[in-house]
Amino acid sequence: GQNIDQPTEMTATEGAIVQINCTYQTSGFNGLFWYQQHAGEAPTFLSYNVLDGLEEKGRFSSFLSRSKGYSYLLLKELQMKDSASYLCAGLNTGGFKTIFGAGTRLFVKA
Amino acid sequence: GAGVSQTPSNKVTEKGKYVELRCDPISGHTALYWYRQSLGQGPEFLIYFQGTGAADDSGLPNDRFFAVRPEGSVSTLKIQRTERGDSAVYLCASSLTKVGGGSAGELFFGEGSRLTVL
């Protein structure tokens, strides 16, 4: 199977740091994506990890451990506009099919 | 165009009817995907095209669903004998290529077609 698991909801405070975790079955995927989706809008690409380690991009960072089937998205200096769903997605071993988790709804409060 | 364009943005139909949903990908993107998203869920893979051919249609739920991309650009998702359970947002996405060649293969999504079957 190609299960991708992530928490359903998280709440954090403006200005804080939040980490959204994602676990997946290692046999199915070559790399991990994170997408952001605001309510009523299309998903937009945030990051892609194919090698182990941390990739930093401004306020957002993404980490991957392939041996553990684990990834996280780290959001720093949270802003109200960061309230959205964050989708963890695996790229299948064929290299063309992206499989999405159910998403984590992040609520940022003042 | 500048982005992925999907029409119609909203479609309300009656159970048993036929519907077509259209996707116009980003110019030059050879890969095109259809996903279906229900409320509170992530996008569910339906079908993938590389050029004109359906490289993987394993996500199509049954034979009422069919998709074409005759000239390797615009794609149409066709649903026959619609059922209430088909109600969802149908998302189209395109990408420059599959992973490799300097591209992460990230998907560029359209705004979706919201299908409601009464």
Side-chain angles (χ1 to χ4, degrees):
Chain A
Q2 298 184 308
N3 290 339
I4 296 177
D5 294 311
Q6 51 183 133
T8 303
E9 287 186 0
M10 298 182 71
T11 300
T13 304
E14 192 176 18
I17 299 172
V18 70
Q19 178 174 313
I20 303 174
N21 296 324
C22 170
T23 58
Y24 64 96
Q25 291 188 275
T26 58
S27 60
F29 301 115
N30 269 346
L32 254 289
F33 291 93
W34 285 94
Y35 285 80
Q36 180 191 59
Q37 186 175 26
H38 285 99
E41 298 182 9
T44 55
F45 169 78
L46 289 177
S47 68
Y48 174 66
N49 294 67
V50 65
L51 299 176
D52 289 353
L54 188 68
E55 295 274 347
E56 297 189 70
K57 191 187 296 185
R59 293 191 300 115
F60 293 5
S61 302
S62 57
F63 172 84
L64 179 67
S65 169
R66 289 171 296 171
S67 62
K68 296 181 179 178
Y70 169 67
S71 174
Y72 67 73
L73 181 69
L74 193 71
L75 292 77
K76 305 175 187 175
E77 302 168 15
L78 279 174
Q79 302 175 9
M80 300 298 287
K81 68 178 182 179
D82 296 331
S83 293
S85 285
Y86 291 87
L87 301 162
C88 177
L91 184 67
N92 80 327
T93 51
F96 56 78
K97 188 160 72 176
T98 303
I99 304 299
F100 287 84
T104 299
R105 291 186 67 190
L106 174 66
F107 299 92
V108 179
K109 59 182 182 179
Chain B
V4 178
S5 176
Q6 291 188 247
T7 54
S9 55
N10 277 287
K11 175 70 176 179
V12 180
T13 191
E14 294 179 341
K15 180 175 178 293
K17 298 291 188 182
Y18 169 82
V19 299
E20 288 190 352
L21 307 175
R22 174 189 167 105
C23 173
D24 196 345
I26 293 172
S27 178
H29 280 195
T30 57
L32 185 144
Y33 303 77
W34 284 99
Y35 286 84
R36 177 169 71 174
Q37 188 172 28
S38 299
L39 193 63
Q41 299 297 314
E44 173 194 3
F45 172 82
L46 296 178
I47 187 169
Y48 157 73
F49 288 90
Q50 182 63 35
T52 60
D56 187 333
D57 64 358
S58 62
L60 295 177
N62 51 59
D63 61 5
R64 295 187 298 105
F65 289 75
F66 190 71
V68 296
R69 195 186 186 199
E71 297 179 358
S73 178
V74 171
S75 176
T76 305
L77 178 66
K78 308 180 180 191
I79 311 173
Q80 298 177 320
R81 304 183 305 280
T82 52
E83 300 177 356
R84 293 192 179 87
D86 299 335
S87 297
V89 176
Y90 288 81
L91 293 166
C92 177
S94 67
S95 68
L96 189 59
T97 183
K98 69 175 186 179
V99 173
S103 167
E106 65 264 34
L107 301 176
F108 296 84
F109 283 89
E111 293 297 318
S113 292
R114 180 177 297 278
L115 175 65
T116 303
V117 182
L118 301 177

